[in-house]
Amino acid sequence: MARTALVTGGSRGIGAAISKALQADGYTVAATYAGNDEAAAKFTEETGIKTYKWNVADYDESKAGIAQVEADLGPIEIVVANAGITRDAPFHKMTPQQWGDVIDTNLTGVFNTVHPVWPGMRERGFGRVVVISSVNGQKGQFAQANYAATKAGDLGIVRSLAQEGAAKGITANAVCPGYIATEMVMAVPEKVREAIIGMIPAGRLGEPEEIARCVSFLVSDDASFINGSTISANGGQFFS
Ligand code: CAA
């Protein structure tokens, strides 16, 4: 039977590319989304991938949503914590709300997504956890103290889970995308975006599929000895 994979934020942007790649790899995929019903319905219509609506920032909603996915599709053996938001502002202008929203979704959201599936992975002796971090978690970014904190935190989460899960057949790894051609990056003011592209040695934004292929590899049996690692896919913008 095909393994079941859960991709949060899996109906748009990088997440949609990951959902499609995992489907093409033969997994049964469930994609979550937070609010855009229209985009989710269109995504399901186009791909046949089931979508589920819940707020990853809410533990009880996540737990109930995950229970529903498992009832529908079987135990989740692969989890890709991808859902994330930006609330960019220079630090002197950043509000507690902007700070809290990003921490709740991007960081606590990873806990809320992985924690409910973790006991089952331990019991079955197999699991793949991939967290989508960011180049900006590795290097920091002007106007992203909140976002960078969460994306750096992702690396701490996977390095801890790698140590806890290894003896149970579970791996936990991170992918750090650079600037990828998604709605999130296209929302950056054009002048700023052009300046950023000027700092990318590849001279272009990345494509969502270039991130999805990293995830495909990390969840595959070929990556069984890769644990606690970070794959950077950023066109040469930053090395760590
Ligand atoms: N480095 C240095 N200075 C910068 C800067 C940068 N990267 N970006 C903006 N500034 C400067 C501006 O030139 C301006 O300077 P002056 O005041 O001297 O003119 C100042 O900072 C901007 O100040 P404002 O008060 O006008 O700023 P604002 O409150 O209007 O905020 C902004 C503007 C939110 C910072 C906007 O410039 C912006 O969105 N910047 C992009 C931030 C970014 O890169 N976000 C990444 C989003 S994509 C993503 O997150 C995906 C991923 O993982 C890679």
Side-chain angles (χ1 to χ4, degrees), residues 67-171:
Q68 186 61 54
V69 170
E70 295 199 319
D72 292 348
L73 305 176
I76 294 167
E77 296 185 281
I78 291 156
V79 63
V80 183
N82 163 77
I85 59 168
T86 54
R87 296 289 181 268
D88 294 353
F91 193 60
H92 64 282
K93 290 187 184 172
M94 188 174 286
T95 64
Q97 181 84 39
Q98 287 172 317
W99 173 264
D101 286 350
V102 173
I103 299 291
D104 290 350
T105 301
N106 297 13
L107 189 62
T108 306
V110 175
F111 175 84
N112 295 345
T113 299
V114 181
H115 192 257
V117 300
W118 191 254
M121 288 180 171
R122 281 169 50 87
E123 274 162 30
R124 292 186 297 273
F126 179 86
R128 292 279 187 272
V129 175
V130 178
V131 182
I132 305 303
S133 174
S134 166
V135 63
N136 291 343
Q138 297 171 300
K139 70 170 188 57
Q141 171 61 30
F142 190 100
Q144 283 201 312
N146 49 3
Y147 184 86
T150 64
K151 296 299 180 178
D154 287 341
L155 305 183
I157 293 172
V158 298
R159 289 167 189 168
S160 302
L161 295 186
Q163 294 175 52
E164 293 190 26
K168 300 284 185 189
I170 308 170
T171 67

Side-chain angles (χ1 to χ4, degrees), residues 13-14 178-186 205-208:
I14 291 174
Y179 282 75
I180 308 300
T182 60
E183 281 172 42
M184 183 183 275
V185 168
M186 299 323 267
L205 298 175
E207 294 300 328

